[in-house]
C-alpha cells in the first residue's frame, strides 16, 4: 500500500521557470513532511520540511505549500537552475514511531538552458 | 566530514554469499536507520535503532537480514545467502531523538550476480 503518492514522475522546466511537484498522503497520523533531493549515485539530502500547523514554508528558492484538509503538499522551486536537475522525493512520518519516513516514488527534474 | 559514513560504497557479490555493510552515524545521534532503495523508487524503511536497541523491523527485512548496533554507535547490516533481488542501494541514516530531521549517508550499492 503506497501511503504517499507523488507526481509527476518526471518534469522538464526551462531555466528560470517554476518547478512544481505534488504529493498526497492518506495516513492522518503523519505530522512531518520533508522533501529530499537526490543526485545520481548519492544519498538523499534534506531540502526543506514542514509540519501541518503551517500552510507554507519558504527557504530561499524552495517553498512547501501544505493543504491539511486535502492531505496534499507540494514543492515549488522558483527560478529553477540546471544545478537543480535531480530526483526529488517527498516523504512523511508520523508523530512518535521513531520518525520512520515513508517516501513517495520520486520526480526526476531536468532544468534545461 | 562529520556526516553519516557508509562502507563499502560498492559491493559485487555472487549469489549465495554473505555481505556486511557498516554505518557510522553522526556522532551525537542516538537514532540510526537502514533503508533500501532500488532504481527508480524511493527509499524503503528496513529497521531502526535507538541507541543499541532495535525498536522496529519492516516486513521487508527477511530472516536473511540482520542488523546490529552493539554499542549504540556504529551499525552493521548483514545479508546472508544473497539473492539477485537483494541488489539495491542500502542507505543508512541518523537523527537525534528530539528531532525529526534525518540525515542520510551516501549509500552502499550491492550488486548480486
Amino acid at each position: 500500500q503506497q501511503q504517499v503518492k507523488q507526481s509527476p514522475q518526471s518534469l522538464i522546466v526551462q531555466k528560470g521557470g517554476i518547478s512544481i511537484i505534488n504529493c498526497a498522503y492518506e495516513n492522518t497520523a503523519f505530522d512531518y513532511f520533508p522533501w529530499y533531493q537526490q543526485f545520481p549515485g548519492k544519498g538523499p539530502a534534506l531540502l526543506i520540511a514542514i509540519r501541518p500547523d503551517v500552510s507554507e514554508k519558504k527557504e530561499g528558492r524552495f517553498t512547501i505549500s501544505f493543504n491539511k484538509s486535502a492531505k496534499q503538499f507540494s514543492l515549488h522551486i522558483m527560478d529553477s537552475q540546471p544545478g537543480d536537475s535531480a530526483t526529488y522525493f517527498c516523504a512523511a512520518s508520523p508523530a512518535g514511531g521513531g520518525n520512520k519516513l515513508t517516501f513517495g516514488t520520486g520526480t526526476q527534474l531536468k532544468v534545461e538552458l | 566530514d562529520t556526516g553519516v559514513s557508509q562502507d563499502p560504497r560498492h559491493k559485487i557479490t555472487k549469489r549465495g554469499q554473505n555481505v556486511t555493510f557498516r554505518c557510522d552515524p553522526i556522532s551525537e545521534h542516538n537514532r540510526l536507520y537502514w533503508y533500501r532503495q532500488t532504481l527508480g523508487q524511493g527509499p524503503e524503511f528496513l529497521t531502526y535503532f535507538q541507541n543499541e536497541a532495535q525498536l522496529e523491523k519492516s516486513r521487508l527485512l527477511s530472516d536473511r537480514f540482520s542488523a546490529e548496533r552493539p554499542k549504540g554507535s556504529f551499525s552493521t547490516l548483514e545479508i546472508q545467502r544473497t539473492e539477485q533481488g537483494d541488489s539495491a542501494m542500502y542507505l543508512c541514516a541518523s537523527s537525534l531523538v528530539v528531532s525529526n530531521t534525518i540525515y542520510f549517508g551516501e549509500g552502499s550499492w550491492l550488486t548480486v550476480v
Side-chain angles (χ1 to χ4, degrees):
Chain A
Q1 180 185 5
Q2 183 184 358
Q3 296 191 51
V4 180
K5 295 184 179 180
Q6 184 172 346
S7 64
Q9 187 175 5
S10 62
L11 182 61
I12 300 174
V13 173
Q14 296 300 307
K15 180 183 175 182
I18 303 173
S19 305
I20 302 175
I21 305 171
N22 301 298
C23 283
Y25 64 98
E26 299 170 357
N27 187 348
T28 55
F30 288 149
D31 77 338
Y32 175 72
F33 302 87
W35 285 88
Y36 282 83
Q37 179 189 57
Q38 186 174 32
F39 292 102
K42 302 293 186 181
L46 179 65
L47 201 57
I48 186 172
I50 198 169
R51 289 191 175 277
D53 52 346
V54 297
S55 60
E56 185 174 283
K57 183 175 182 181
K58 183 177 180 179
E59 290 183 1
R61 296 185 295 110
F62 301 94
T63 300
I64 299 179
S65 297
F66 189 86
N67 186 329
K68 186 175 181 179
S69 61
K71 292 187 285 186
Q72 295 175 347
F73 59 111
S74 60
L75 175 69
H76 291 64
I77 305 174
M78 312 300 288
D79 187 26
S80 299
Q81 299 296 313
D84 296 330
S85 298
T87 300
Y88 293 81
F89 292 96
C90 62
S93 68
N99 301 334
K100 183 178 67 177
L101 289 169
T102 298
F103 282 84
T105 50
T107 296
Q108 197 164 10
L109 171 66
K110 182 177 181 180
V111 181
E112 294 184 334
L113 293 168
Chain B
D1 183 25
T2 57
V4 178
S5 178
Q6 294 189 243
D7 184 72
R9 292 293 316 281
H10 302 272
K11 178 73 176 180
I12 301 174
T13 192
K14 292 183 179 180
R15 187 177 55 175
Q17 297 294 304
N18 298 345
V19 296
T20 300
F21 299 112
R22 176 182 169 121
C23 172
D24 288 274
I26 294 172
S27 61
E28 66 270 24
H29 285 188
N30 35 28
R31 279 191 178 156
L32 185 148
Y33 310 80
W34 286 99
Y35 284 77
R36 181 171 68 187
Q37 185 177 23
T38 53
L39 283 174
Q41 299 296 316
E44 296 175 295
F45 171 80
L46 292 178
T47 187
Y48 91 96
F49 294 82
Q50 184 162 312
N51 300 312
E52 66 273 12
Q54 188 173 17
L55 297 187
E56 186 172 347
K57 294 192 289 186
S58 162
R59 288 172 295 175
L60 292 174
L61 212 64
S62 75
D63 291 345
R64 297 183 298 103
F65 289 70
S66 63
E68 295 181 345
R69 195 183 184 197
K71 297 183 179 179
S73 56
F74 74 92
S75 174
T76 58
L77 176 69
E78 181 183 19
I79 308 173
Q80 296 181 327
R81 304 180 304 280
T82 52
E83 302 173 356
Q84 287 188 324
D86 297 331
S87 295
M89 180 163 69
Y90 291 86
L91 290 160
C92 179
S94 70
S95 74
L96 292 168
V97 171
V98 296
S99 171
N100 284 102
T101 304
I102 295 177
Y103 298 90
F104 283 84
E106 299 284 79
S108 291
W109 281 100
L110 173 65
T111 302
V112 181
V113 296

